[in-house]
């Protein structure tokens, strides 16, 4: 039910919020600590998710049917379970392992995001023409060398934008680790909110910080992938 | 099925109903809002389009949990309102998913060739009519897979509402766990339920796409 506040206007509410950024500035140490934890959490999960994704995605493009089915099962099983449940599985379900919350956050986040990376890796490998792989093998490279030196680099350039999407999603998803008591940015924000009651200011601040992180990752990946190959676009333009 | 689950089934089902209610409400609300925002941005409506672009970028750069905190704590404080956790959740999810759906709608609209638009106008339809009768339905049909992707995300995201105290499926399951402490069987049950629901939802999307896009 919508209850009007004091000084009810004809819209049923009035804006009588006094902005005060002083408490936010005073608790900057906590915010920075949270930011550092978020960055560390995201980096660890990003690395682990990439490893899981490359392995599962390569299995999914294997010639063996069993490997393909296994990879598909892993992807569907992990992707269709909410991230929060992934974290609870490590933190509550496997509580007897006594893993520290940070590690539970990393594991939950990377298993969940790994499935998304795997789908992208599979699409990337499929987008590299088969002739490339055959030519690489014909020059005498081993299977692994052909994958690492010929197929993956070309695939990476193609999937860089989608990979950027998944990685920025991962950074934002890391906020859920606050639910299992990892003291990252969102956790610190709630704590500061509880102490200072500067609700709006603190959440706007961390929104800006998340936006900054996400933009940084997107930009880094764009630089890493190099200039986009404009051939298809030119073809379209001239058609 | 373990005793823990069957004994607490009514309570868990109640949570599941809440989850489904939130998901359905926000899917409908998010689609309508996303459609409106997407069309407005794509038509470059003066003044509005710029504001909506800022909204889209802001939401897409914000974690869902922070969005929920804003809707539950910050907006009520700003406006002097009181909202229940479930109202805040629905509002937060609608605002959140609409930004993503708007981007999908835009890509759907962009995929409609300009020849079709000109043909629609040439038959004597007004701009609004050709949009409503020809272009938007075609675009929507093309983005059904993307839309259902968002719905699946939404269904999974409803679990996050438990963090601000909504007793939906995850919330009630964790409550049961706090009482009886059987984390393994409860979490397996919860995970499998979400898995089945999400797989069902995405197969509905596939069937609908195959049926409509033919």
């Amino acid at each position: 039910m919508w209850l009007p506040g004091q000084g009810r206007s004809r819209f049923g509410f009035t804006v009588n919020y006094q902005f005060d950024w002083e408490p936010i500035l005073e608790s900057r140490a906590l915010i920075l600590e949270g930011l550092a934890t978020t960055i560390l959490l995201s980096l660890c999960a990003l690395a682990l998710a990439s490893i899981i994704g490359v392995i599962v995605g390569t299995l999914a493009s294997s010639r063996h049917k069993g490997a393909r089915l296994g990879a598909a099962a892993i992807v569907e099983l992990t992707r269709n379970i909410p991230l929060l449940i992934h974290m609870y599985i490590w933190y509550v379900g496997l509580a007897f392992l006594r893993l520290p919350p940070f590690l539970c956050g990393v594991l939950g986040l990377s298993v969940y995001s790994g499935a998304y990376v795997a789908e992208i890796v599979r699409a990337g490998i499929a987008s590299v023409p088969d002739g490339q792989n055959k030519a690489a093998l014909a020059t005498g490279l081993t299977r692994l060398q052909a994958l690492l030196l010929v197929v993956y680099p070309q695939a990476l350039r193609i999937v860089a934008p989608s990979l950027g999407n998944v990685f920025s999603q991962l950074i934002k998803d890391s906020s859920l680790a606050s639910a299992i008591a990892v003291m990252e940015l969102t956790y610190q924000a709630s704590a500061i909110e509880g102490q200072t009651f500067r609700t709006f200011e603190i959440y706007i601040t961390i929104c800006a910080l998340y936006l900054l992180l996400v933009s940084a990752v997107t930009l880094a990946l764009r630089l890493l992938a190099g200039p986009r190959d404009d051939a298809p676009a030119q073809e379209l333009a001239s058609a | 099925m373990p005793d823990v689950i069957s004994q607490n089934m009514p309570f868990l089902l109640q949570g599941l109903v809440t989850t489904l209610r939130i998901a359905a409400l926000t899917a409908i609300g998010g689609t309508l809002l996303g459609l409106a925002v997407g069309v407005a941005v794509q038509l470059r409506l003066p003044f509005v389009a710029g504001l909506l672009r800022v909204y889209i970028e802001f939401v897409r750069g914000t974690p869902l949990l922070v969005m929920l905190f804003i809707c539950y704590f910050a907006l009520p404080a700003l406006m002097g309102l009181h909202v229940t956790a479930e109202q805040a959740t629905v509002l937060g999810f609608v605002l959140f998913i609409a930004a993503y759906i708007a981007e999908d709608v835009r890509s759907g609209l962009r995929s409609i060739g300009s020849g079709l638009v000109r043909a629609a106008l040439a038959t004597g339809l007004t701009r609004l009519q050709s949009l409503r009768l020809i272009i938007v339905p075609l675009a929507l049909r093309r983005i059904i897979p993307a839309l259902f992707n968002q719905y699946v995300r939404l269904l999974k995201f409803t679990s996050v509402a438990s963090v601000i105290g909504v007793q939906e499926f995850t919330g009630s399951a964790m409550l049961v766990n706090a009482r009886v402490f059987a984390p393994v069987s409860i979490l397996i049950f919860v995970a499998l339920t979400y898995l089945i629901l999400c797989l069902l939802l995405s197969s509905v999307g596939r069937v609908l796409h195959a049926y409509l896009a033919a």
Side-chain angles (χ1 to χ4, degrees):
Chain A
M1 208 170 88
W2 298 85
L3 292 172
Q6 329 93 304
R8 175 183 177 140
S9 80
R10 71 189 154 114
F11 299 113
F13 62 83
T14 45
V15 178
N16 48 12
Y17 190 84
Q18 300 292 323
F19 279 90
D20 179 11
W21 295 87
E22 199 64 36
I24 308 298
L25 217 62
E26 278 164 15
S27 41
R28 62 184 177 279
L30 277 180
I31 297 177
L32 287 179
E33 219 173 277
L35 183 65
T37 310
T38 287
I39 292 175
L40 194 64
L41 179 69
S42 305
L43 280 181
C44 292
L46 208 142
L48 200 52
S50 303
I51 295 172
I52 294 173
V54 168
I55 293 174
V56 176
T58 309
L59 279 181
S61 10
S62 152
R63 284 176 308 167
H64 303 286
K65 199 169 182 198
R68 282 207 306 270
L69 279 178
I74 292 173
V75 167
E76 292 303 326
L77 196 65
T78 45
R79 187 166 74 154
N80 284 309
I81 292 172
L83 174 59
L84 194 60
I85 304 294
H86 273 280
M87 294 200 169
Y88 283 154
I89 286 174
W90 293 100
Y91 189 60
V92 185
L94 301 173
F96 58 86
L97 292 178
R98 297 193 184 284
L99 299 175
F102 182 83
L103 192 58
C104 294
V106 170
L107 287 170
L109 202 52
S110 44
V111 170
Y112 177 79
S113 310
Y116 287 91
V117 178
E119 279 294 280
I120 291 172
V121 168
R122 189 180 60 81
I125 293 176
S127 70
V128 177
D130 202 32
Q132 293 285 329
N133 190 33
K134 284 190 186 134
L137 293 176
T139 60
L141 294 180
T142 65
R143 280 248 177 105
L144 190 65
Q145 281 174 328
L147 263 182
L148 287 178
L149 300 173
V150 178
V151 178
Y152 285 159
Q154 296 188 58
L156 176 65
R157 294 191 70 176
I158 296 168
V159 300
S162 343
L163 220 47
N165 277 345
V166 171
F167 288 163
S168 40
Q169 206 68 52
L170 186 151
I171 293 174
K172 290 181 282 170
D173 285 346
S174 72
S175 64
L176 279 188
S178 63
I180 56 166
V182 179
M183 295 187 185
E184 43 70 76
L185 197 52
T186 308
Y187 184 94
Q188 299 289 17
S190 316
I192 294 167
E193 194 258 344
Q195 284 165 12
T196 64
F197 295 107
R198 302 325 304 170
T199 318
F200 211 76
E201 293 89 332
I202 183 66
Y203 288 128
I204 287 297
T205 310
I206 67 165
C207 274
L209 290 175
Y210 274 113
L211 204 59
L212 207 69
L213 283 182
V214 168
S215 318
V217 166
T218 317
L219 197 68
L221 217 69
R222 201 175 295 163
L223 290 177
L224 186 78
R228 292 294 314 270
D229 201 358
D230 278 341
Q234 279 167 8
E235 225 170 87
L236 273 180
S238 62
Chain B
M1 198 178 288
D3 283 348
V4 206
I5 307 292
S6 45
Q7 276 160 15
N8 293 294
M9 203 43 139
F11 186 67
L12 289 171
L13 278 182
Q14 220 175 340
L16 191 60
V17 168
T18 309
T19 286
L20 294 177
R21 186 175 60 228
I22 294 175
L25 271 179
T26 52
I28 295 169
T31 308
L32 292 178
L33 184 62
L35 188 62
V37 172
V39 170
V41 170
Q42 195 57 23
L43 290 183
R44 300 204 181 80
L45 293 185
F47 187 63
V48 183
L51 271 182
L52 291 177
R53 281 227 61 96
V54 173
Y55 153 73
I56 291 177
E57 291 307 319
F58 173 77
V59 170
R60 281 163 49 97
T62 307
L64 174 70
L65 187 57
V66 176
M67 198 70 200
L68 283 191
F69 283 161
I70 290 178
C71 287
Y72 191 41
F73 300 119
L75 280 185
L78 189 73
M79 299 187 168
L81 294 170
H82 294 273
V83 291
T84 65
E86 196 177 324
Q87 287 167 345
T89 303
V90 171
L91 179 66
F93 281 170
V94 166
L95 288 177
F96 184 80
I97 212 71
Y100 289 88
I101 290 181
E103 285 293 279
D104 291 334
V105 168
R106 287 185 57 206
S107 70
L109 290 175
R110 271 201 301 271
S111 77
I112 305 288
S114 59
L116 203 63
V117 181
R118 268 180 254 147
L121 292 175
T123 59
L125 294 177
T126 65
R127 281 189 54 175
L128 202 64
Q129 278 174 331
S130 58
L131 201 66
R132 184 167 58 87
L133 298 171
I134 315 266
I135 298 160
V136 167
L138 275 175
L140 277 184
R141 218 175 278 182
R142 284 187 192 175
I143 60 165
I144 286 174
L147 276 182
F148 272 82
N149 250 344
Q150 302 297 355
Y151 297 156
V152 172
R153 275 181 77 203
L154 207 49
L155 186 56
K156 287 188 289 174
F157 277 156
T158 53
S159 62
V160 179
S162 65
V163 176
I164 61 166
V166 179
Q167 256 190 45
E168 40 65 77
F169 191 45
T170 305
S172 34
M174 294 321 278
L175 213 61
V176 170
N177 181 48
R179 194 150 48 82
V180 300
F181 197 70
V184 178
S185 34
I186 289 176
L187 278 173
I188 289 178
F189 173 70
V190 171
L192 284 182
T193 309
Y194 277 113
L195 179 72
I196 292 168
L197 286 178
C198 290
L199 287 177
L200 266 179
L201 190 57
S202 33
S203 50
V204 167
R206 262 197 300 279
V207 169
L208 207 62
H209 184 59
Y211 181 69
L212 285 175

